[in-house]
Amino acid sequence: MKPKEKAASYKPAEDREKDLKLALLRIQKGRAKTGETKLSIAAVAREAGVSTALIHNYYPGIAEAIRESQGRSSRAMRDVKHQDLLAERKKSAGYRQEIEELRAKVANLASINEVLLEDNRVLREKMDDRKVVELASRKPQG
């Protein structure tokens, strides 16, 4: 391309943005010059005669408008994911608390179990001792 031709294809940012918005509207209304029917960043770029990189890099507002029209707004998706993340963190904190409580209960039960095992051992030793005499249980008087 000659320098003169390059200068002729250059448009001010405001004009380029206007062209992109018009291309977006033409596709949405089914009046695209290129015959585009499905809305996408690539379709808008073809309709406006620019590259997709230009839209992504210099006109993020246009790219976001296209995504919103597609129902895939990056901001909306980000907000939904953020809310999901917060909910999962809250559940996770609840689970950690429950685990700590259960560990404390297990430790307490293990301690009680050790005491009972020792009492059981002592009682077995007493039963095996010949000096221990079994007493008849008294019946309550009624």
Side-chain angles (χ1 to χ4, degrees):
M1 247 181 168
K2 294 178 184 175
K4 225 178 200 183
E5 290 177 33
K6 205 178 208 182
S9 67
Y10 173 78
K11 284 189 174 184
E14 300 83 26
D15 292 345
R16 182 73 71 195
E17 186 170 3
K18 183 179 176 186
D19 288 349
L20 289 169
K21 287 179 181 178
L22 289 172
L24 173 62
L25 284 172
R26 283 194 302 271
I27 293 171
Q28 285 175 327
K29 298 206 183 267
R31 297 182 185 153
K33 295 174 185 174
T34 57
E36 300 289 346
T37 56
K38 186 174 180 188
L39 181 63
S40 68
I41 292 176
V44 171
R46 283 190 295 272
E47 181 69 17
V50 298
S51 70
T52 57
L54 181 102
I55 295 174
H56 286 291
N57 295 330
Y58 295 101
Y59 301 96
I62 300 288
E64 185 63 23
I66 294 167
R67 285 189 209 98
E68 284 175 6
S69 295
Q70 294 173 320
R72 299 183 318 138
S73 168
S74 59
R75 288 184 185 118
M77 289 171 60
R78 180 196 64 209
D79 292 344
V80 167
K81 294 291 182 191
H82 184 68
Q83 292 303 317
D84 291 346
L85 176 63
L86 292 177
E88 290 301 318
R89 283 182 178 166
K90 189 174 183 179
K91 278 200 289 188
S92 181
Y95 291 146
R96 280 194 296 277
Q97 178 66 31
E98 184 179 358
I99 288 169
E100 287 304 313
E101 291 169 5
L102 291 173
R103 282 183 177 157
K105 285 181 181 179
V106 166
N108 187 36
L109 290 173
S111 177
I112 291 170
N113 197 32
E114 287 298 318
V115 170
L116 291 174
L117 285 171
E118 180 60 23
D119 288 350
N120 197 11
R121 187 188 61 74
V122 169
L123 290 172
R124 285 183 192 274
E125 283 180 9
K126 286 184 180 178
M127 283 185 63
D128 291 342
D129 190 354
R130 293 181 181 212
K131 296 178 188 175
V132 176
V133 178
E134 189 174 336
L135 300 174
S137 61
R138 289 192 204 172
K139 290 186 180 178
Q141 295 177 354

